[in-house]
Amino acid sequence: MLCDARLRLHAFVDRFHARRHRQDLLDNLRQLAANLLNAVLYIPFHKSPHWLILTGWLGRVLLWTGLWMSVYLVAQRLPYRPLPLVTGLLFLTLPVAEYLLIEAPYGLFSILAALALWLFLGYRQLGHPGYVWGVSALIGLATLTHTDGLLLLAIFLALLVAVTWATYRDRFRTIHARAHLLAAALLPFLLVMGGYAGLYRLSAPD
């Protein structure tokens, strides 16, 4: 019995050290990624005594640019491109945009959702499944920033069925074509979410 207890204790210690080593590795990788990002944003202001404020300012500018560029890309996909209307809507959303800049996850979610809409409009125009793969991946990334991405996925699947049935019904008559389209709609999303869940499972304690 004493030998068995000793073996169990050694096995527990080995598992603890392996888990600790895995945790340290993930922490080092996360710290490395954060350091690289901070270094890139720090380079333009490394000689300024106000580098911390300016670095945060640069991040806000990039977020603001992403918001406007994503809306512009969506406008480019619209059939009649009502640019005066789009410009007016941009100015009407300025108060909301300020909140999105303060709350970075909401800003990132908005950018990713707009880019997903941009790709989906490309699928509506051309019917190529490659656009569907991109939409699914972007929705997966958006879900990592905010749980409303799950609602976005449901809306995307409903619109995908409607557009495919109305416009590209003949192209997806076979079982193989439908399976390929279904894989394009779900697999990237599941890979993004599954990859995150796997990393979380490795990094989180039991």
Side-chain angles (χ1 to χ4, degrees):
M1 178 178 289
L2 182 60
C3 182
D4 184 64
R6 186 178 301 174
L7 290 176
R8 288 177 179 272
L9 178 61
H10 281 300
F12 173 78
V13 172
D14 290 340
R15 288 197 302 271
F16 174 79
H17 284 298
R19 187 165 59 246
R20 181 66 180 271
H21 176 72
R22 190 168 60 229
Q23 177 69 36
D24 292 341
L25 178 61
L26 290 173
D27 289 340
N28 291 335
L29 289 175
R30 283 195 295 265
Q31 189 63 43
L32 176 62
N35 291 338
L36 288 175
L37 179 60
N38 290 330
V40 171
L41 295 178
Y42 168 75
I43 288 173
F45 312 114
H46 68 281
K47 294 183 179 180
S48 172
H50 308 292
W51 62 268
L52 182 60
I53 297 174
L54 294 174
T55 301
W57 171 82
L58 179 59
R60 294 296 185 268
V61 169
L62 293 176
L63 194 60
W64 178 272
T65 304
L67 288 169
W68 280 67
M69 286 301 299
S70 60
V71 173
Y72 174 78
L73 290 173
V74 171
Q76 288 293 308
R77 293 285 193 194
L78 296 177
Y80 301 106
R81 297 182 185 177
L83 294 183
L85 176 61
V86 173
T87 305
L89 290 175
L90 284 173
F91 282 103
L92 288 176
T93 57
L94 284 179
V96 180
E98 181 181 359
Y99 175 76
L100 294 178
L101 292 176
I102 296 174
E103 298 291 338
Y106 293 101
L108 289 175
F109 177 84
S110 301
I111 293 172
L112 293 168
L115 291 176
L117 177 59
W118 171 61
L119 289 180
F120 181 77
L121 292 175
Y123 171 76
R124 182 179 179 274
Q125 292 175 356
L126 302 176
H128 195 283
Y131 289 106
V132 180
W133 286 88
V135 173
S136 181
L138 288 171
I139 291 178
L141 293 174
T143 306
L144 294 181
T145 64
H146 199 279
T147 54
D148 285 345
L150 296 174
L151 178 61
L152 202 62
L153 177 66
I155 295 173
F156 161 62
L157 293 176
L159 290 176
L160 179 64
V161 172
V163 170
T164 303
W165 180 261
T167 310
Y168 304 109
R169 191 185 314 175
D170 295 336
R171 190 177 300 182
F172 297 98
R173 284 188 177 276
T174 65
I175 298 296
H176 180 268
R178 293 177 181 176
H180 183 256
L181 185 64
L182 182 62
L186 293 178
L187 188 58
F189 176 86
L190 294 176
L191 287 176
V192 171
M193 299 302 296
Y196 170 78
L199 288 176
Y200 180 81
R201 180 66 181 85
L202 290 173
S203 62
D206 294 337

